[in-house]
Amino acid sequence: MPDLRATGERIDALIEALATVQAGPPGPAASQRAREQAEELVRVVTDLYGAGIERILDIAYDSGRLDEELLGLLVGDDLVASLLLVHGLHPQDVHTRVQHALDAVRPYLGSHGGDVELLEVTDEGAVHLRLLGSCDGCPSSSVTLELAVRDAIESAAPEVVAIEVDAPSTHDTDPVAALIPVESLRTRLDTRSAAAASPEAGAAWHPLAAADGLPPGQATTTTVAEVGLYACRVGPQLFVFRDGCARCAHTLAGTLPVRRLGGAADDAVLTCPGCGAHYDVRRAGAGLDDPDLHLAPLPVLVDGGVVSVALPTRTLGVVGA
């Protein structure tokens, strides 16, 4: 536990020193000094908040209120979970967090007829996965995996350094291990990637200008490469589907994502304006009235506010398989 008086005095001194530097003559030395003081200020404040969060957990534990239910609520909140990770206070180990992350993206993979199995997380921080179902040997499996796993890894287990994918070929019974550096998973593809996408990859990237700057809770419909698309934003996350109800094929134009009655704050449901069918946005457009029906989700990348969507190059009737 830091000395609160000493910490407060150091914060005041750093703020005053920064003000003095800004008021003084500019120059390389002054800029370097200001940078060092700003970095120290951030470290001191971060340590203070970290100690405060740790103390809150201690108090909850000592009072007998830090039970599994409360822990689940804490780690289930993205903001709180990220703060716990930053300060090394997250109660779940990396294996558990990776497993939960894969569970979260499993509905998306399932919409492509595939699945993923977590084999191990090594001491060095490498995650070993196996593709299952239609993703196994699928020409676009690398695209599907990259899109489904990237954000999950960044938010759930930032300490992971690489992902090893055991993806057997459809023409070879011997598994071929591929090493995918996390850096490549975290690289946002820009619009040049769309032009350079290989037909053999099964998908090409196209700019989705209609979704740029789309505010939370809003939706839009548009046409890209002769494909009708429906895009909506739930919180900070953007979802894109082929425009068309899985039951009646009616356009989803004018439909907004709404919170499910009694559901969590980030739940979102789409209601077809034609037949009234309901779909779960976060579960890859799974049908709520009929589990055999689901919307057709499409992979999305956002780079500096520019949205791109992946559309199949070989057949527009099947996505990702």
Side-chain angles (χ1 to χ4, degrees):
M1 186 74 179
D3 185 323
L4 295 181
R5 181 183 296 276
T7 300
E9 291 176 351
R10 184 55 184 161
I11 290 174
D12 289 340
L14 287 169
I15 293 175
E16 184 177 349
L18 283 170
T20 301
V21 171
Q22 291 176 341
S31 297
Q32 179 62 27
R33 187 165 62 256
R35 179 183 179 86
E36 292 173 353
Q37 291 170 341
E39 290 176 349
E40 184 182 355
L41 179 60
V42 170
R43 286 195 300 270
V44 171
V45 172
T46 300
D47 290 344
L48 179 63
Y49 278 100
I53 294 172
E54 184 176 11
R55 185 60 185 141
I56 290 173
L57 295 177
D58 288 340
I59 293 172
Y61 179 81
D62 292 340
S63 65
R65 299 180 183 180
L66 193 62
D67 53 20
E68 291 299 322
E69 181 180 0
L70 179 55
L71 277 176
L73 293 173
L74 293 175
V75 301
D77 184 279
D78 290 341
L79 176 58
V80 176
S82 64
L83 289 175
L84 294 176
L85 281 171
V86 167
H87 297 290
L89 299 172
H90 203 289
Q92 297 174 344
D93 60 21
V94 63
H95 185 281
T96 301
R97 284 183 274 124
V98 170
Q99 184 65 69
H100 288 173
L102 293 179
D103 289 342
V105 299
R106 198 160 267 120
Y108 174 79
L109 295 176
S111 71
H112 292 262
D115 200 353
V116 62
E117 177 185 4
L118 176 60
L119 300 179
E120 68 170 336
V121 178
T122 69
D123 294 337
E124 292 75 24
V127 175
H128 191 187
L129 306 174
R130 176 182 293 140
L131 294 178
L132 305 171
S134 298
C135 288
D136 173 12
C138 174
S140 61
S141 62
S142 60
V143 175
T144 302
L145 177 69
E146 189 272 335
L147 289 163
V149 174
R150 183 198 64 234
D151 289 338
I153 286 179
E154 288 182 345
S155 60
E159 64 267 52
V160 168
V161 297
I163 299 174
E164 297 175 5
V165 182
D166 194 10
S169 168
T170 54
H171 304 292
D172 192 346
T173 58
D174 294 330
V176 179
L179 183 65
I180 304 179
V182 169
E183 287 75 12
S184 67
L185 294 179
R186 293 175 176 170
T187 301
R188 307 289 185 176
L189 301 181
D190 57 19
T191 54
R192 290 172 294 180
S193 302
S198 169
E200 288 75 22
W205 293 98
H206 299 266
L208 186 57
D212 288 350
L214 189 67
Q218 296 300 308
T220 185
T221 52
T222 188
T223 300
V224 175
E226 301 182 353
V227 179
L229 303 177
Y230 171 88
C232 66
R233 190 177 295 278
V234 178
Q237 192 167 2
L238 181 69
F239 298 86
V240 178
F241 304 91
R242 292 183 183 277
D243 181 25
C245 173
R247 175 187 288 171
C248 69
H250 194 284
T251 178
L252 298 174
T255 302
L256 297 178
V258 297
R259 180 176 176 181
R260 187 190 313 179
L261 185 62
D266 60 352
D267 278 351
V269 175
L270 299 179
T271 301
C272 172
C275 66
H278 300 90
Y279 301 95
D280 190 320
V281 176
R282 290 191 175 277
R283 293 183 60 240
L288 295 175
D289 311 303
D290 184 347
D292 293 330
L293 294 178
H294 65 80
L295 301 177
L298 292 168
V300 180
L301 287 174
V302 181
D303 178 23
V306 177
V307 180
S308 296
V309 60
L311 297 175
T313 57
R314 292 175 303 167
T315 169
L316 294 179
V318 180
V319 180

